[in-house]
Amino acid sequence: MEHHPEEIDEVIASLPKERGFLAPNLCLYQNFWFPVTVLPNVITFQRHFRAKDNDIVLASQPKAGTTWLKALVFSIVNRRYFDISNTPLLTSNPHELVPFLEFTLYANNTKPNLEDFPEPRIFSTHLPYSCLPESVKRSNCRIVYICRNPLDTVVSSWHFFKSPVRSENQPERSMEEHFETFCDGKTGFGPFWDQTVGYWKESLEEPHKVLFLKCEDLTENVVAQVKKVAEFVGLPFSTGEEEAGVIQGIAETCSLRKLKDLEVNKSGKFMPNFENRSYFRKGEVGDWANSLSPPMVARLHSIMEEKMSPFGLEF
Ligand code: A3P
């Protein structure tokens, strides 16, 4: 058992708990469900992280396209240092290059020294907007949020859960059970709709602060989205770069086909239980049609209509 300050353990002991799908136990904390094993890191991150004005924070829910976004933003930001043909993405998993704040940097009660990270620092998180440290909200740092159609997200997370991320002593769950917990909102860093709507509203109110991306839009036209992200983080492509095909080069190198085929992503783990290969599957829009029955689809559509449509958020 890791050592956490007693007071963090006490906070966690007092919280409502549930069995979720991406974690054996979830805790209800600040109106969202967190994996109980990750919550101490979340609390340490909330208390100790100090954002810099030029930080870039990539936010998402699990299985929404986080890995893809990390690869793209890393490439956009670092294009002045590495030619894409020689990018560190060829030898390092995107999660190593853009670390998770709550899974990696603040793990095991660590308070990392992040002052010396090369600037602009790029971090990632699955925390909902309302749970982000105050300094992230108040500083001028930028947040790029990626979301995905909940139908594809629930199916993608089902496959991920079946993969080696499931620990030996966790029984395999049926798709139906998995779907139920998703619809009940009991997913790590969810309910799905509450987190998505939180970032959506913030992106409408503070468009210079939060860029809201849909994974489906990336699939449809990755070049246009890469340009948009580059402008948002203050590093637009020059005409010369555009003419030289720099954006296409980034899009191609970060494609699922290319990343999935790299040795580094076919083997190894970036955290215990998290195999690199489990982050690269099909990446298809509409893959849900292969796994969800018509009543399941109808149920999720009605939740989307109730929880997201009133805010103008459609998929
Ligand atoms: P599928 O399970 O539908 O294939 P995350 O990175 O948030 O964990 O999300 C994983 C999902 O994104 C998986 O979806 C995975 O295949 C897909 N994905 C990973 N890298 C991708 C890339 N470079 N381009 C497109 N999709 C990608």
Side-chain angles (χ1 to χ4, degrees):
M1 172 94 179
E2 293 149 14
H3 171 74
H4 316 127
E6 254 171 42
E7 172 258 339
I8 291 188
D9 284 341
E10 276 167 30
V11 170
I12 295 173
S14 69
L15 298 171
K17 306 222 173 28
E18 272 288 343
R19 188 173 165 219
F21 69 76
L22 273 181
N25 281 299
L26 295 175
C27 269
L28 189 63
Y29 173 72
Q30 299 180 343
N31 299 320
F32 286 89
W33 292 100
F34 289 87
V36 74
T37 49
V38 182
L39 191 49
N41 314 350
V42 169
I43 296 173
T44 316
F45 162 44
Q46 286 180 323
R47 291 181 183 176
H48 297 280
F49 182 71
R50 298 288 169 267
K52 294 186 182 183
D53 284 336
N54 60 349
D55 282 347
I56 301 168
V57 177
L58 309 185
S60 63
Q61 296 197 58
K63 314 332 290 171
T66 317
T67 316
W68 195 8
L69 183 65
K70 286 186 182 193
L72 291 171
V73 175
F74 177 86
S75 305
I76 292 167
V77 170
N78 290 295
R79 68 187 195 270
R80 60 201 149 140
Y81 303 120
F82 315 110
D83 186 86
I84 197 72
S85 60
N86 199 20
T87 171
L89 280 166
L90 300 177
T91 47
S92 300
N93 178 272
H95 296 286
E96 286 171 46
L97 299 172
V98 180
F100 276 111
L101 287 152
E102 66 278 5
F103 285 109
T104 311
L105 296 172
Y106 285 88
N108 305 326
N109 195 32
T110 309
K111 295 172 198 79
N113 176 8
L114 305 175
E115 286 304 304
D116 301 334
F117 256 55
E119 295 185 19
R121 305 182 300 178
I122 318 172
F123 301 118
S124 87
T125 184
H126 284 327
L127 262 64
Y129 185 82
S130 59
C131 301
L132 290 175
E134 279 309 304
S135 81
V136 173
K137 294 185 205 162
R138 278 204 239 105
S139 71
N140 287 327
C141 80
R142 315 275 158 113
I143 300 171
V144 183
Y145 183 72
I146 187 157
C147 75
R148 188 179 189 189
N149 186 324
L151 296 146
D152 279 331
T153 307
V154 69
V155 170
S156 179
S157 57
W158 160 244
H159 287 283
F160 187 73
F161 177 74
K162 286 200 304 174
S163 74
V165 79
R166 185 169 57 87
S167 66
E168 295 292 309
N169 52 9
Q170 270 178 272
E172 195 164 319
R173 304 183 82 182
S174 67
M175 178 67 196
E176 287 71 21
E177 254 186 300
H178 175 74
F179 183 80
E180 282 304 308
T181 47
F182 188 88
C183 290
D184 287 347
K186 287 169 188 154
T187 57
F189 313 94
F192 178 94
W193 14 94
D194 291 350
Q195 170 169 147
T196 307
V197 166
Y199 279 100
W200 172 246
K201 281 186 180 166
E202 215 47 49
S203 74
L204 297 178
E205 281 163 27
E206 305 276 348
H208 59 281
K209 172 84 183 169
V210 179
L211 178 67
F212 190 96
L213 300 176
K214 289 182 180 163
C215 191
E216 293 74 21
D217 293 340
L218 256 71
T219 308
E220 195 181 314
N221 188 344
V222 66
V223 167
Q225 299 300 316
V226 166
K227 272 176 83 166
K228 196 200 262 189
V229 172
E231 279 161 26
F232 178 74
V233 299
L235 297 166
F237 290 94
S238 66
T239 313
E241 283 182 307
E242 288 204 33
E243 284 170 2
V246 172
I247 310 180
Q248 281 80 1
I250 290 176
E252 169 62 19
T253 302
C254 297
S255 67
L256 178 66
R257 184 179 47 78
K258 186 86 192 244
L259 292 182
K260 191 176 177 171
D261 237 26
L262 296 171
E263 203 44 53
V264 62
N265 295 326
K266 285 199 258 183
S267 58
K269 299 178 177 189
F270 88 94
M271 284 192 295
N273 288 345
F274 288 79
E275 302 222 8
N276 291 345
R277 69 186 165 90
S278 58
Y279 288 85
F280 306 91
R281 198 179 64 93
K282 276 175 146 179
E284 278 174 15
V285 177
D287 185 45
W288 54 264
N290 296 316
S291 307
L292 302 181
S293 65
M296 286 166 138
V297 175
R299 171 143 184 234
L300 205 38
H301 273 145
S302 103
I303 296 174
M304 289 157 72
E305 216 160 280
E306 182 198 334
K307 305 276 190 187
M308 298 201 280
S309 299
F311 301 97
L313 186 52
E314 306 282 355
F315 287 91

